[in-house]
Amino acid sequence: LLHTEIFTISAAGSEFRQSGDFVLGGLFDIHYISKAISHHMPESTQCSSHDLIVPSYRRFQIMRFAIEEINNSSTLLPNVTLGYEIFDHCSNTDNFPSVFKFISQDRWVQPWYHLSKGLSDVAAVVGPFSSSDTTTIAPLFMMDFVPLISYGAGSSAFSEKVKFPSFMRTVHSNRDLVEVVVHILLYFKWHWVAFLNTNDAYGKDGLELFRKRIVDTGICVAYNEVVNHHTNTSIMIKQLEAYDVNVIVVFVPEETAEYLIGALRHLNMTKKVWLAVDAWSLNKKLPKMQGIKNVGTVLGVAQPSVHIPGFKEFVYSKKKQCQRDAGELCNQHCPDCGDLTPEDIIQSDPSYSYNVYIAVYAIAHALHNMLQCGSGECQKNTTVHHYKVLAELRKSNFSLLHELIQFDTNSDPKFGSYAIVFWNCSGDAEEIGFYRFYPSVNFYIDTNKLQWHTGKETPISRCSLDCLVGYAKKQEGSHKCCFSCHKCPNGTYINVTADAYSCQACSAAEWSSDGSTSCILRTVEFVPFEDAVTIVIMVGTVIFVALSLLTAVLFGLNYNTPVVRSAGGPMCFLILGCLSLCSISVFFYFGTPTFASCILRFFPFFMFFSVCLACFVVRSFQIVCIFKIAAKYPSVQRWWMKYHGQWLVITLSFLTQTALLILGYILSPPAPFSDYDWDQTKIILSCGGDFQANFAATILLLVLCCLCFIFSYMGKDLPKNYNEAKSITFCLLLIVLTWVIFATQFILYKGKYIQTLNAMAVLSSLYSFLLWYFLPKCYIIIFQPKRNTAQYFQGLIQSYTKTISQ
């Protein structure tokens, strides 16, 4: 148990003490210790011997005013008076006597003992101001759940209720403050910034929160410096210039900012932008200092200046020469406060004043609920336990100056906003925007009110200028803000919102040109049946089949004539039939490719065209055999005629070709194929595996063609009217030329019309035999019947035989 010396409350006129039914504690840093103090013995620091902070004294008066206003109210706490016990808390290490006073009861500090024996002297405590002070003393209040309502401690650590269960605050957390700072940086596109902070709980917390918040925002901390009253500003500025940083976030308390900015005004830095936090953005002294324009532009995030009705009159009525009254304890005396005029207090920095006002009223409303004052009279005899006051504080839900006061689950405020201010040429902090949290986030800046010291253009603070549209960044060095730009190639695109550092590949169904920001769906292309060229080809195929049928009919009617017999006799009908069956393939080159169409566009043509070529091979061989081999090798002719050699060759060719096709389709079945390579803007639908499946069958066709050429060449000097070899040779030359042209086109062009060209090549091959082999025979049959007689052909044979024998 700790015993503290307590004096009798007897000074009714003291600014620091006032008796009442319930007493509120207050901790205000009315004075500031700018230099470290060495002690020769254990003692408490005498705050009044150090520098006076006028804004803190104003906040001190706000608490007194709020308590007097509540005592004069007939509705909030009727028949109950509030008292206060306030201390000047100028040190976070040497002001513990005031803390012991607040947590003691009957001059005794009794941890975990108050529930059965009594309570501490205060119902709740307002303060302290800074995060460092709160970090030091808060644990002493937490052990007995004494409500500690800070009006200025913004460290995010206090949101952890496990460590600080009875801590509350009416100021927003540093997390919210950093959020506003980042919004401003992003709004002006300042991505290359410096961050100055103090080496205390406030500054460290701000730096840590800032680094976490700027992840994935494109903002980089180019330079960070811990500043204090001993910082060499000249060296710091040289480093800022070396890093080419034009925007500096200054996350420091007001006293440190006064030293820092005061020292910088002697340097010429008009291009710099200083971003002030709420601790010093509304400072009344700095904007009016001589040479402040040399610092550059100062923007700030500020606590909104709320007009509190009646406070001005209170200051004028209560202000008197401060004297030390009987009963005052250490740090309950302010001799230099008497030098302040009411105007000095009223016109000082209003930051955090409203927060003090809210804290006092929050405690009053909590007591209102505990004492059941709703009936117009409070139950004064009710025991006020700290944990119960804390519970009511957390449930706060009241209106104050047209604002709804509530707290979230971390005992942080669910009300309030920030003002965006600009230090104008008149030396005032002019409000140019705002950031509202509730009921929803609302951010606004009026840039028309801004007057940059660099001119009309917004200052630039970037390590590298933004890349042009369609360019990806390539990081250079350790900062993502420093980069070079590279144009995204074809087939890729850049999405700067998702990843500005890499070109994303388009999907197979999409395409893009170089420097694209998105992909475009490819056009799916195939040759439809409605295409004009397709219709012409299909009509040509139907005509071909019709002509083949008419030729067969004509040959059938003139079956026993020499022209039909010399053309091949019954073999002519086989050739015409196979040519007609080959034409089936033409119809499957059009429309959307399917597995069936991919097979049928080749299978009928290869199978039946091989029969046609086999027929012409046999026919060419027979012509040479009749006119040349028969004379020199009669046994060969007899064997050929006896065993029907022509039909054996045709059958063998047909069976071999069929087997080769089936085997090829089993090993490499043709299937629908989407070609993505030919044209990046299109998807060409075709059939895959064609060459592999038909390779062996193609070789067989080439062999048959070669045999045709060999036998046709051997019979080049045969009788004119009996020389089908020349007709066959000419047909084969046309076919070879057709497929050479197609092969060339296939190598150079693989668009959708390659299918059309393939169909035309097939149809051209069929027409070659029909027009140049069968049509001349039809002409003789119809228009030159004299040449279609046995005598005429016999005469040609006899004439050729005589020539051979000679």
Side-chain angles (χ1 to χ4, degrees), residues 463-464 474-486:
C463 182
S464 302
K474 183 180 179 181
Q475 183 175 335
E476 295 182 348
S478 59
H479 292 287
K480 276 196 171 185
C481 296
C482 303
F483 51 82
S484 57
C485 299
H486 301 273

Side-chain angles (χ1 to χ4, degrees), residues 392-411:
E392 292 296 336
L393 280 169
R394 289 175 175 173
K395 295 187 293 184
S396 295
N397 187 8
F398 62 93
S399 180
L400 184 64
L401 299 183
H402 309 293
E403 186 169 34
L404 182 63
I405 306 301
Q406 293 177 320
F407 297 92
D408 62 18
T409 55
N410 295 323
S411 300

Side-chain angles (χ1 to χ4, degrees), residues 39-50:
H39 295 282
H40 301 288
M41 65 179 65
E43 59 181 340
S44 178
T45 298
Q46 294 291 334
C47 294
S48 58
S49 62
H50 297 280

Side-chain angles (χ1 to χ4, degrees), residues 290-600:
Q290 185 178 3
I292 192 65
K293 293 182 181 179
N294 294 332
V295 173
T297 306
V298 179
L299 294 178
V301 181
Q303 296 287 332
S305 181
V306 179
H307 173 68
I308 302 176
F311 177 65
K312 180 178 179 181
E313 292 75 13
F314 171 82
V315 173
Y316 274 97
S317 65
K318 297 294 182 180
K319 183 59 187 164
K320 62 180 179 64
Q321 184 71 27
C322 288
Q323 296 178 353
R324 186 172 182 87
D325 296 316
E328 284 187 339
L329 302 177
C330 176
N331 292 327
Q332 286 188 316
H333 181 51
C334 183
D336 52 350
C337 294
D339 298 333
L340 298 174
T341 65
E343 290 77 15
D344 292 334
I345 300 172
I346 294 169
Q347 294 177 8
S348 64
D349 183 356
S351 299
Y352 306 99
S353 295
Y354 184 52
N355 297 338
V356 174
Y357 192 68
I358 295 172
V360 174
Y361 265 88
I363 298 171
H365 276 275
L367 292 173
H368 174 91
N369 295 332
M370 287 190 63
L371 301 177
Q372 301 176 5
C373 302
S375 61
E377 185 174 341
C378 300
Q379 305 297 323
K380 297 175 61 174
N381 296 326
T382 303
T383 302
V384 178
H385 293 286
H386 293 128
Y387 73 94
K388 291 184 178 180
V389 178
L390 178 63
E392 292 296 336
L393 280 169
R394 289 175 175 173
K395 295 187 293 184
S396 295
N397 187 8
F398 62 93
S399 180
L400 184 64
L401 299 183
H402 309 293
E403 186 169 34
L404 182 63
I405 306 301
Q406 293 177 320
F407 297 92
D408 62 18
T409 55
N410 295 323
S411 300
D412 291 334
K414 286 179 63 176
F415 54 86
S417 61
Y418 278 109
I420 312 299
V421 298
F422 158 66
W423 288 9
N424 59 26
C425 298
S426 302
D428 297 319
E430 180 182 358
E431 186 171 337
I432 61 170
F434 57 81
Y435 187 101
R436 296 197 181 104
F437 295 94
Y438 304 99
S440 60
V441 173
N442 193 358
F443 176 72
Y444 171 74
I445 292 180
D446 186 357
T447 54
N448 295 323
K449 294 182 178 180
L450 275 171
Q451 297 176 349
W452 305 107
H453 289 287
T454 54
K456 294 183 179 180
E457 296 295 328
T458 302
I460 297 174
S461 188
R462 300 176 189 171
C463 182
S464 302
L465 294 179
D466 286 342
C467 294
L468 297 174
V469 176
Y471 284 74
K473 301 175 182 178
K474 183 180 179 181
Q475 183 175 335
E476 295 182 348
S478 59
H479 292 287
K480 276 196 171 185
C481 296
C482 303
F483 51 82
S484 57
C485 299
H486 301 273
K487 198 172 187 178
C488 289
N490 292 339
T492 64
Y493 71 99
I494 182 70
N495 183 356
V496 293
T497 57
D499 183 5
Y501 292 86
S502 60
C503 299
Q504 305 296 322
C506 295
S507 66
E510 297 174 325
W511 72 280
S512 69
S513 58
D514 55 346
S516 295
T517 58
S518 62
C519 295
I520 304 172
L521 283 175
R522 293 192 183 199
T523 303
V524 179
E525 288 196 347
F526 58 91
V527 183
F529 285 100
E530 299 80 9
D531 189 78
V533 180
T534 301
I535 295 173
V536 171
I537 292 175
M538 290 192 296
V539 170
T541 304
V542 173
I543 293 173
F544 172 82
V545 175
L547 291 176
S548 298
L549 180 61
L550 291 175
T551 301
V553 171
L554 182 64
F555 273 41
L557 295 175
N558 297 273
Y559 182 75
N560 293 318
T561 62
V563 169
V564 175
R565 302 296 293 181
S566 65
M571 198 176 294
C572 294
F573 299 102
L574 177 61
I575 295 172
L576 290 171
C578 288
L579 290 176
S580 299
L581 291 174
C582 286
S583 66
I584 295 174
S585 295
V586 175
F587 297 97
F588 294 98
Y589 282 94
F590 313 111
T592 305
T594 63
F595 183 78
S597 66
C598 287
I599 293 177
L600 293 176

Side-chain angles (χ1 to χ4, degrees), residues 621-638 641 804:
F621 176 77
Q622 284 180 326
I623 294 171
V624 173
C625 181
I626 291 171
F627 288 97
K628 290 188 175 183
I629 298 178
K632 297 180 180 180
Y633 308 101
S635 60
V636 175
Q637 183 186 22
R638 285 195 300 271
M641 298 300 295
I804 293 298

Side-chain angles (χ1 to χ4, degrees), residues 550-569 572-573 576 721 724 773-789 793:
L550 291 175
T551 301
V553 171
L554 182 64
F555 273 41
L557 295 175
N558 297 273
Y559 182 75
N560 293 318
T561 62
V563 169
V564 175
R565 302 296 293 181
S566 65
C572 294
F573 299 102
L576 290 171
N721 276 31
E724 283 85 2
Y773 185 80
F774 289 101
L775 188 62
K777 283 32 175 206
C778 294
Y779 178 80
I780 293 174
I781 292 172
I782 298 173
F783 298 104
Q784 294 182 347
K786 294 180 179 180
R787 297 173 60 185
N788 190 17
T789 60
F793 272 81

